[in-house]
Amino acid sequence: SGTAMSQPWRATAHSGPRTRAEYVRRATTMSEAADSFKDIAVPEGSDRRELYKSPYRAIYTYKMSAQELDEKFREAITGDHQKGGWQIKNDERVKYVGKLEVSKEVSEDGDPSNKKKLDYKVSFEDYPEAGMSALKYYTIQSYTK
């Protein structure tokens, strides 16, 4: 019947959400997860799409130029909020295209004396003929392999 398609929270699979509230809660959690890779914010942007995500890298595309994406990226990662506070280092980009690194010190278990440094690589790509750009996040380990 058409009920399962029009009311996806009524899924019959045992692993799926059973109630509408559970469905909404899961959808919200998934969208929050899509807003970051590890602890780095993924910027909002025009027609953002997550193409790929693993524990080692993530790829997002946008319907905007690399210059516009750079502005959104800087706002998202350097801002004064939970996912912000990152420093941009080793920016090798030319005309907003190429690689850079981001770094941040964080306290483990809320203990200010127990800090660890997080480092990730980020790559910008521009596809002006399509009016699109891409943003790729890598862990340093996966990048060097």
Side-chain angles (χ1 to χ4, degrees), residues 3-133:
T3 308
M5 293 305 282
S6 62
Q7 298 176 334
W9 61 87
R10 295 191 188 273
T12 55
H14 295 292
S15 63
R18 307 249 170 139
T19 65
R20 185 175 196 292
E22 193 176 334
Y23 180 80
V24 169
R25 188 168 43 250
R26 260 196 209 182
T28 303
T29 307
M30 291 174 109
S31 72
E32 286 168 4
D35 287 341
S36 65
F37 172 70
K38 303 291 183 182
D39 295 321
I40 309 171
V42 175
E44 288 297 322
S46 178
D47 196 19
R48 180 181 80 183
R49 308 229 174 154
E50 182 179 276
L51 289 189
Y52 177 82
K53 192 169 191 180
S54 77
Y56 309 104
R57 67 184 180 139
I59 303 172
Y60 300 90
T61 61
Y62 296 83
K63 195 116 179 102
M64 59 202 301
S65 71
Q67 181 177 357
E68 293 169 306
L69 180 56
D70 175 71
E71 290 173 26
K72 298 282 187 184
F73 176 76
R74 287 175 185 276
E75 288 170 16
I77 69 156
T78 60
D80 187 20
H81 49 82
Q82 185 181 353
K83 300 248 187 252
W86 290 86
Q87 292 184 324
I88 296 175
K89 335 181 300 189
N90 301 334
D91 191 343
E92 302 169 6
R93 297 175 303 152
V94 176
K95 294 185 179 174
Y96 307 102
V97 175
K99 299 176 182 82
L100 58 83
E101 292 178 22
V102 293
S103 181
K104 183 179 185 179
E105 276 195 3
V106 294
S107 307
E108 290 194 307
D109 307 322
D111 178 358
S113 65
N114 187 11
K115 291 196 178 240
K116 73 174 182 176
K117 194 171 183 189
L118 300 176
D119 291 298
Y120 297 103
K121 293 258 187 196
V122 181
S123 170
F124 285 77
E125 295 178 7
D126 197 13
Y127 304 97
E129 66 285 349
M132 298 191 73
S133 57

